[in-house]
Amino acid sequence: MPHETSYPPLNVPKQVADGVWIVDAPPLRAGGMPLPVRMTVIRLSGGELLLHSPVAYTAGLQRALETIGRIGHLVAPSVGHWLFLRDWQSACPGSVTWAVPGLRDRGQVRRAGVRIDAELGDEPPSIWAGEIDQVLVVGPVFKEVCLFHRPSRTLLLTDLVINLEADRLPLLARPLARLLGIVAPDGKAPLYLRLLLRTKRHEVALAARRLVEFDPERVIFAHGRWFRRDAAEQLRDSLAWLLGPSGGAGRARVSAFGDRTPAPARVSTLFAGVALICVIGALAYARRRSR
C-alpha cells in the first residue's frame, strides 16, 4: 500500500482542537527509512493561518486551507524543516516566513532561494505573543523552536520527539528505528540528536522543563503518532533522557540509549561515541540497501 507509513487522509486539513488542524503528507525517505511527515496549522485570533513545518505544496491543499483562513505565516521551526517553503512563498506572496536563528545563513537555504523574513527565539513576536509561547532548544548543528498554543493547550514540536509505529514501517527499517529509539510508544529524539544535545545538557534540560511545565493537553510533532491524550505524561516520558525519571533537570545520568543507569563520565562518553559510530554505520548501510 503506498504511503502506508503516513496517516490518511493525506494532504487535507484535519481539525484536532479549536483553531488547530494537522495535515499529514506522503512520507519522505531518510537514511533509507520512510518517514511520515506532518504540518500543523494554527488559526490566530485575527483569522490568519500559521503553517508550522509546511509539507509539500499542492494547489488543492492551499484551497482547502484558505477555506479556514488566509495563510499569513510560514514557520520553519527547526534546521531540517524548511524544504517546502519556497513553493508556499510563491503561492502565498503576502505571507511572512519565520525561522529558527541561523537558518537563512545556510548554503542550502540560500541556493534554494528561500526567503527568511524574521527569526524566532524564546520570546514570541508581538503578532502572536498573547496566544503562543515559545521555547528555543539549541545544540550543536541543531535548533528547534517549540510553540505552545495557549487557547487549545497544544504543544508543537518537530524532531525533539519522533514516535514511529513499528507495524507501519518496512521490516528492514524496524531494527534501525529501534536502535535510534524512535519507536512508539517510547519514541523520543533519535539517538544521534540525543548525543548532540547532551553536550549542552544543562541548557537543553532547562528548555525541556519549560515544555513539560506547559502541561499540554496534546503534543503534535512532525513524525509518527502524536500524543492525543495523557500528553503531559507522555511528554515527560519522552524527555526523561534529559530530565531523569522524576522530570527534574540534571537529577540522573542518562546513557546514550536513554536508560537511567548511572555511569561514570568517561565510560558514558566512550559508550556514546561507539553508539554514534554504530548509528552512522547503520544509516550508511540502510542508504545502500535503498538504492
Side-chain angles (χ1 to χ4, degrees):
M1 178 189 300
H3 313 323
E4 64 182 1
T5 308
S6 291
Y7 297 83
L10 304 183
N11 290 328
V12 296
K14 296 173 281 192
Q15 189 165 16
V16 297
D18 188 21
V20 182
W21 292 259
I22 60 172
V23 178
D24 289 296
L28 301 176
R29 295 197 74 82
M33 180 187 302
L35 197 63
V37 183
R38 178 178 299 111
M39 168 173 75
T40 307
V41 179
I42 292 178
R43 184 168 58 199
L44 301 175
S45 59
E48 289 189 326
L49 300 185
L50 179 156
L51 308 191
H52 175 271
S53 186
V55 295
Y57 172 83
T58 70
L61 176 56
Q62 180 185 3
R63 288 193 297 270
L65 290 172
E66 288 176 341
T67 66
I68 300 171
R70 187 184 79 83
I71 300 171
H73 305 276
L74 309 174
V75 177
S78 76
V79 293
H81 286 253
W82 60 270
L83 296 177
F84 305 113
L85 283 177
R86 185 70 185 89
D87 289 340
W88 284 100
Q89 288 177 340
S90 298
C92 309
S95 62
V96 178
T97 299
W98 308 80
V100 289
L103 187 65
R104 60 157 57 104
D105 301 323
R106 295 193 166 223
Q108 274 185 307
V109 176
R110 292 199 303 270
R111 288 191 294 272
V114 172
R115 183 192 77 250
I116 305 297
D117 298 313
E119 294 184 336
L120 295 172
D122 266 330
E123 296 298 324
S126 58
I127 194 165
W128 63 64
E131 302 174 65
I132 298 175
D133 290 319
Q134 296 175 193
V135 175
L136 181 63
V137 180
V138 179
V141 304
F142 176 83
K143 292 176 184 175
E144 176 174 336
V145 62
C146 310
L147 306 185
F148 179 68
H149 183 236
R150 290 185 196 170
S152 67
R153 290 179 52 215
T154 300
L155 179 62
L156 308 186
L157 312 177
T158 51
D159 298 325
L160 203 56
V161 177
I162 297 179
N163 197 46
L164 306 183
E165 296 183 78
D167 58 0
R168 288 177 174 266
L169 294 172
L171 284 174
L172 291 177
R174 296 176 190 179
L176 177 58
R178 294 190 188 283
L179 174 65
L180 294 174
I182 56 175
V183 175
D186 303 315
K188 56 182 75 68
L191 173 59
Y192 55 83
L193 181 53
R194 278 178 276 147
L195 295 176
L196 288 172
L197 293 179
R198 287 191 66 203
T199 65
K200 290 195 171 183
R201 179 165 179 174
H202 177 70
E203 296 89 339
V204 176
L206 289 177
R209 176 177 283 181
R210 288 181 59 198
L211 297 178
V212 170
E213 288 174 350
F214 286 140
D215 191 26
E217 186 170 318
R218 63 190 59 80
V219 180
I220 303 175
F221 33 83
H223 311 294
R225 190 176 73 202
W226 54 281
F227 302 154
R228 296 172 180 265
R229 56 183 63 87
D230 302 322
E233 182 179 347
Q234 291 188 76
L235 179 64
R236 262 183 229 103
D237 290 342
S238 291
L239 297 177
W241 61 276
L242 272 174
L243 302 179
S246 62
R251 293 184 185 177
R253 293 187 179 275
V254 182
S255 81
F257 286 97
D259 62 55
R260 304 181 184 104
T261 304
R266 291 182 182 177
V267 174
S268 179
T269 302
L270 176 62
F271 180 67
V274 171
L276 181 57
I277 292 171
C278 291
V279 169
I280 293 172
L283 288 171
Y285 174 76
R287 192 172 293 115
R288 286 198 300 271
R289 289 293 298 261
S290 66
R291 288 176 181 170

